[in-house]
Amino acid sequence: MKLSRRKIFDEMGVSPYWVLRGAPEATVRFRKENTSFRDEMPESAEKRAPLPEMPVPDAAPESAAPMPRVPPTPPSPASSPEREDSRAGEIARMDWPQLRQSIAECRACGLCAKRKQAVPGVGDEHASWLFIGEGPGAEEDARGEPFVGQAGKLLDAMLDAIDLKRGENVYIANAVKCRPPGNRTPENAEMSICFPYLKRQIELISPKLIVLLGRAAVNSVLGIESALSSLRGKRLHYTEDEIEIPAIVTYHPAYLLRNLAEKAKAWEDMCRARELMNTLP
Ligand code: URA
């Protein structure tokens, strides 16, 4: 059953909502109930303040200067730089079936030891939208699909708010494909070892826009370790080899479930992502 947009916002604790004048219906604004500026909201639509402009710098801001992707993977008897290079080279030549099989059988880092199964990703393999999270949790590990737990429900609602649907022009992936024990944040070394898979997914999908959900995804994909709040509203770029794809950052849905007050910001980010997508060729 498809929930109405109003119902979704109500359930998310985000209301009221309205449509930007002259903007597509999907371009909506959000306000968290009981925030101080709720009282300041003008009554008439004409008086409503416009959505703050999204700064669109051509490059990452100074505070977000690209850093080495992640600290180097500590050497272990099972891995050496040469071995990692040759593994990355093999992955870079894989097609979708080979990639899925390789991910399913991967034993390149310690996360394989406790997983039930690897979780490659889900959705349209030629999607314009690519959403990237952190790593599978318990439910994802059990079902083999990303974002199927509580955080996934919120992600689905966020997609719905900008007229997107899982699997329809949308692909959802994670920085690491195997569940970190206890749902801990993946370590840099784990994300680094898993990155060739994500990189190949990005190449094969060739999305128009990447939406990064949370700090781990930002770190894995952009190599930036700045606070998420300093990156929101900025138009960043994923740049690898010859590829350059715009990227937008927002809070991870699991973080939003714990920090309800930040939901309104995430909704704004989603609106900005939609607005940006509408301008992309
Ligand atoms: N959190 C994530 O980052 N990814 C998932 O797939 C589920 C929860």
Side-chain angles (χ1 to χ4, degrees), residues 106-123:
C106 181
R107 307 197 67 78
C109 80
L111 294 183
C112 63
K114 296 211 167 133
R115 72 176 177 217
K116 287 200 174 79
Q117 59 189 312
V119 181
V122 71

Side-chain angles (χ1 to χ4, degrees), residues 119 133-137 140 145-148 151 174 252 254:
V119 181
E134 186 174 300
E140 290 77 19
E145 182 173 332
F147 283 102
V148 290
N174 277 313
H252 191 285

Side-chain angles (χ1 to χ4, degrees), residues 240-266:
E240 279 287 329
D241 304 331
E242 306 292 289
I243 300 177
E244 185 175 285
I245 302 171
I248 275 201
V249 165
T250 192
Y251 293 111
H252 191 285
Y255 170 83
L256 296 174
L257 290 172
R258 297 189 303 271
N259 298 274
L260 300 181
E262 306 288 39
K263 274 186 188 166
K265 294 182 189 165

Side-chain angles (χ1 to χ4, degrees), residues 265-281:
K265 294 182 189 165
W267 292 123
E268 282 188 354
D269 296 335
M270 294 296 282
C271 293
R272 287 177 175 134
R274 165 55 81 188
E275 285 172 6
L276 174 57
M277 176 62 91
N278 289 345
T279 69
L280 296 175

Side-chain angles (χ1 to χ4, degrees), residues 59-213:
E62 277 172 39
S63 62
M67 300 169 55
R69 180 164 301 288
V70 289
T73 307
S76 77
S79 105
S80 67
E82 295 74 27
R83 221 165 138 156
E84 278 308 308
D85 281 354
S86 106
R87 175 177 160 269
E90 278 171 35
I91 293 171
R93 290 187 292 278
M94 289 178 181
D95 59 18
W96 275 113
Q98 291 166 332
L99 193 62
R100 277 191 289 270
Q101 185 176 349
S102 177
I103 291 171
E105 295 169 354
C106 181
R107 307 197 67 78
C109 80
L111 294 183
C112 63
K114 296 211 167 133
R115 72 176 177 217
K116 287 200 174 79
Q117 59 189 312
V119 181
V122 71
D124 177 351
E125 290 169 356
H126 302 286
S128 299
W129 295 83
L130 173 58
F131 289 79
I132 301 177
E134 186 174 300
E139 286 194 60
E140 290 77 19
D141 183 50
R143 288 176 50 186
E145 182 173 332
F147 283 102
V148 290
Q150 284 307 313
K153 287 194 187 115
L154 179 52
L155 178 59
D156 285 341
M158 290 162 73
L159 296 177
D160 193 286
I162 54 168
D163 285 345
L164 294 177
K165 199 163 188 293
R166 179 184 290 251
E168 292 180 9
N169 204 21
V170 169
Y171 194 92
I172 303 173
N174 277 313
V176 295
K177 313 302 185 200
C178 298
R179 181 189 179 209
N183 295 348
R184 65 164 168 75
T185 303
E187 290 167 6
N188 282 353
E190 292 158 350
M191 292 195 289
S192 175
I193 289 173
C194 217
F195 185 71
Y197 287 134
L198 186 56
K199 182 174 175 214
R200 186 60 182 150
Q201 285 178 310
I202 295 172
E203 277 165 2
L204 288 170
I205 297 165
S206 190
K208 286 191 193 173
L209 179 62
I210 299 176
V211 181
L212 298 166
L213 304 166

